[in-house]
Amino acid sequence: MSGFLFSLLWLLTALAAAPLLLGVINRTKAWFAGRTGQPLLQLYYDLWKLLHKGAVYSRTTTWVFRAGPIVGLASVLVAAALTPFGGAPALLAFPCDLILFAYLLGLLRFFTILAALDTGSAFEGMGASREATFSALAEPALLLGLAVVAHKTGSVSLSGMFSGDAVSAWAHAGPAILLVAGALLIVLLAENARIPVDDPNTHLELTMIHEVMVLDHGGPDFALILYTSALKLWVLGALLVNVLLPARTGFLLFDGAVALAAMFGLAVGVGVIESIMARLRLLRVPQLLVSAGALAGLAMFLVLR
Amino acid sequence: MPPIMTAVILLLAGGFLALLTARLPRLSTAFGVGGAVAGCVVGLIQPVRVLAGGISEAWLRPWSVPYGSLSIEVDLLSAFFLVPILVLSALAAVYGQEYMAAWRGRRSTGASWFFFNALVASMIVVVIARNTALFLVAWELMSLASFFLVTFEHDKDDVRRAGWTYLVATHIGTAFLFALFLLLGRAAGSLNFISFGPAPAASAGVLFLLAVIGFGTKAGFMPLHVWLPEAHPAAPSHVSALMSGVMIKTGIYGLFRVLTFLGPPPAWWGLTLIGIGAVSGILGVLFALAQRDVKRLLAYSTVENAGIIALGLGLGLLGMSYGDLTVAVAGLAGALLHVVNHAAFKGLLFLGAGAVAHSTGTRDMDRLGGLLKRMPRTGSFFLIGAAAICALPPLNGFVSEFLIYFGAFKGVISEQPAIVYPALGLVIGLALIGGLAAACFTKAFGIVFLGEPRSESAAHAHECGRAMWIPMLALAAACAAIGLAAPAACRLVIRVLGDATGMDAFALDHVVSTLTSILSFVVGAGVALMALVIGLVFARRRLLAGREVAHAGTWDCGYLKPDARMQYTASSFSQPLARLFHGAIGTKIRSAPPKGLFPKTAFFGSELVDVFKDRLFKPLFLAVESGVSRMRWLQHGRLQLYVLYIAVTLLVLLIWKL
């Protein structure tokens, strides 16, 4: 029963704290650049403001454009319910739930791309095309990385892999853990439109990927999209933290607090990566994503040896 | 006579009456459609009874053909394939009634309906035949009927060429089937399926390969797929739906049926099918992605889905050979369920593409756009089909792919390394196929139905009539229903499997309960997803109530005169992936880039070629032709010498017999 309560607690934490991750990333980047930077809670203020606005829709668009943000948020919410955190199982856990997890993110992407194409704008088409390309390459890396964890822990459910005694299976697989973590980190950066794949701060539509797809959304719709992005960063980050922190004390509250600290550590890490790296040329991004797959493949090789 | 034979007779009668009354187009259409629908409805009685738990009935009559008998049986496996065949045929007939009306008076639709009904009747006989002669006759009739349907617009050059490619390909496949069944029959001493028993290991391998090539040609396995992207776009759309949705599945049926004759599978059968499936799946979706013709895109996507089915079958065989029941059942069940699912969504997508072509007169995606506003029903149904084929939850495509993934992940955590490696390959392959399919179908839907129309004809498109959209609605509903009834569908499929393969019923029960409980979680998550969507829709409506909701032009980044032609096109959308995989997709580019300060001319054109067709089959057939043409000196037209040939041949035979 306490397991269930903790699952619920961590899900609610995710829902509440996800926008804070972006605040931490932005503050880290500001610190590196020698600026004060925006407040940590800036995204909350933005969401509040946007939710109080009206809406402007393009005359070209149809119901698909309006469905995009809603289907996107709904799918990432269900994905969040599938993500275990801090040693506690997820609210919804069953064998092979990782496939549902991956395809829910696929559903989010499918509707984001369609909403972008619905505007009839060349720029948004560009972003949609790039998103489709890069995510097609990120998906095998994500599933192969999770397959390594599945093989090592003998469980095919996210909660089974990352909670309870499955942890001991990781004890002798240090290098494999690091390789899988590397693969998942690349997937996380690519899926969440961070440097070196996409620059969230760019001001030129021609070079954008994610930002350009949502150019025409405004008001509450844009609030949904911003929140969806934050939550997506949270769930993929939680997977990475789960991989990197297999040690558990058995005290769910303590383990959860450690995982929470690790999440914000990860946000700082993403901020550092964004500060010290340049963005890759678009033609180089596929190579990065294939190398993520290669890292996961190498990890598989290590655990199968 | 069993009801299924009544159905066949009704279909043929309708077809003949349509042919006889071809001069009265309305009457002949009524006979054709009426016969098809009545036949399909009557035909459904028996398979539904069998699937609901009734016993399968065999029926046997002597037949004057040597070694032949009119031996039929509707067992669970046949019934499982019959239901999609009959349902999709009836819906395609209703759709075709309106679709073909455009040709009324210009071309004999009577003949077309005759061949349509003959195709449906022969597909029924193919899956219920229990005698080789009957099976092959029905198989050949199916190929010929569909050939005549494909060449309906035979005044067009490319249609004739497509028909020719199809005819050659299907007969090469049939030749392998002849060899297969003759070998099976020689070992058994009879050509009735019931006498085919487990073959000795050495010959079983040969039989397996013959079945994979013979049935794989029909099913669209690469590199035997070359007829599909020619024939599907050339045929009228309701015929494409039928051919892609269910006719190619008779190849899967045949392969599955023959596998039940061959005894326990060795591991290399599974590996072969996994290899074929991965190649067909990945290359199929890549070719699909690069197409501009929406029906050709769908045809290549059929190759992709045949690949997914082969992956499932291969995984199942691998599981069987290593004695891992969960892997075996999950793989085979996923493959069989995908057969039905693909019939539903691919039928839907072809009907949708047909409605677009019917209304705009073009299948070139770069000349379409903005159709969701002009054809709201067709567009919404097409979107459901597109989401289902991308295996997005909570629709049916997700359920079958989930089962295959489940088997593969069970293989990954297996103790036996021999399963782990192929299972890993399968996970990577399916993930890549999934990602590319999402790119392919966001393109197909997004370019055709969203944005602004890219041509005059697209701007003046109109919604299709009731006879065309109701079948699409039915198929879209089927996609959703199978997705929501996943545990029941899975239980049914496993019952079919158990009956066909003779797996241990007690052990199966355990797997069934595991899989159904998992699938009920999946359905639960799907329901939660839909509830969240509905909740968010209402929440947004509450938020926006009383606030200003304005309408404006699309943000054009400061550009003053945006134009529909500036939108991203189908070609530009897929360009990054086409470039990335240019080694696999053969794109020929002809371009003259602008030169100098005041360029006078510049053009860019790209053309897609099927690498297998161009680099494998073309040289092969040219070599065969040059080899055969050396024999021409025998054929000179002098009658006296021909008579001499006959006399010499008879003499040689006589001496040999002495």
Side-chain angles (χ1 to χ4, degrees), chain A residues 51-64 66-67 69-71 73-75 77-78 92-96 98-100 103-104 106-107 110-111 113-114 117-126 128-129 132-133 136-137 139-140 143-144 146-147 150-151 154-156 205 215-216 220-221 224 283 286 300 304, chain B residues 372-373 380 383 386-387 390-393 398 401-402 405-406 409-410 412-414 420-421 424 427-428 430-432 434-436 438-439 441-443 445-447 450-452 518 521-522 525 528-529 532-533 536-537 540 543-544 547-557 566-568 572-574 576-577 579-581:
Chain A
L51 283 174
H52 286 80
K53 288 196 171 221
V56 183
Y57 293 110
S58 157
R59 274 184 289 269
T60 308
T61 58
T62 61
W63 64 266
V64 173
R66 300 185 189 205
I70 283 183
V71 176
L73 180 56
S75 36
L77 282 174
V78 179
L92 187 60
F94 54 91
C96 234
L98 55 100
I99 297 301
L100 184 63
Y103 277 75
L104 282 168
L107 181 63
F110 187 84
F111 269 87
I113 292 175
L114 286 186
L117 288 173
D118 201 9
T119 59
S121 149
F123 294 110
E124 298 195 31
M126 231 173 253
S129 161
T133 306
L137 298 171
E139 189 138 327
L143 285 182
L144 188 57
L146 290 176
H151 181 82
S155 167
V156 287
E205 291 89 348
L215 270 184
D216 261 271
D221 287 308
L224 294 184
L283 294 176
M300 196 74 210
L304 278 177
Chain B
L372 187 59
K373 279 190 171 159
S380 306
L383 177 58
C390 292
L392 295 178
F398 181 71
E401 285 198 31
F402 180 84
Y405 265 122
F406 179 76
F409 268 93
K410 276 285 176 194
V412 167
I413 64 167
S414 156
V420 174
Y421 288 104
L424 264 178
V427 168
I428 301 171
L430 266 183
L432 190 58
L436 292 172
F441 282 93
T442 45
K443 160 181 152 169
F445 180 77
I447 303 293
L450 301 177
E452 294 286 350
I518 294 172
F521 274 111
V522 171
L529 180 76
L532 279 170
V533 168
L536 284 169
V537 167
R540 184 175 60 186
L543 265 181
L544 286 177
R547 293 198 199 145
E548 189 194 0
V549 176
H551 294 270
T554 294
W555 163 242
D556 43 22
C557 307
M566 289 167 59
Q567 292 175 95
Y568 242 42
S572 43
F573 186 84
S574 53
L577 278 167
R579 183 192 167 114
L580 202 59
F581 291 95

Side-chain angles (χ1 to χ4, degrees), chain B residues 299-322:
Chain B
Y300 272 115
S301 141
T302 300
V303 177
E304 170 221 331
N305 281 278
I308 294 176
I309 295 171
L311 282 174
L313 283 180
L315 184 69
L317 293 186
L318 201 66
M320 280 169 88
S321 73
Y322 287 107

Side-chain angles (χ1 to χ4, degrees), chain B residues 333-383:
Chain B
L336 279 187
L337 192 57
H338 204 69
V339 166
V340 178
N341 288 343
H342 183 249
F345 48 65
K346 190 51 71 62
L348 169 59
L349 291 170
F350 263 117
L351 296 186
V356 168
H358 191 253
S359 159
T360 62
T362 179
R363 303 190 308 251
D364 184 353
M365 285 188 268
D366 286 352
R367 298 177 52 76
L368 295 168
L371 290 183
L372 187 59
K373 279 190 171 159
R374 290 153 186 88
M375 309 174 72
R377 291 196 185 100
T378 306
S380 306
F381 300 145
F382 195 95
L383 177 58

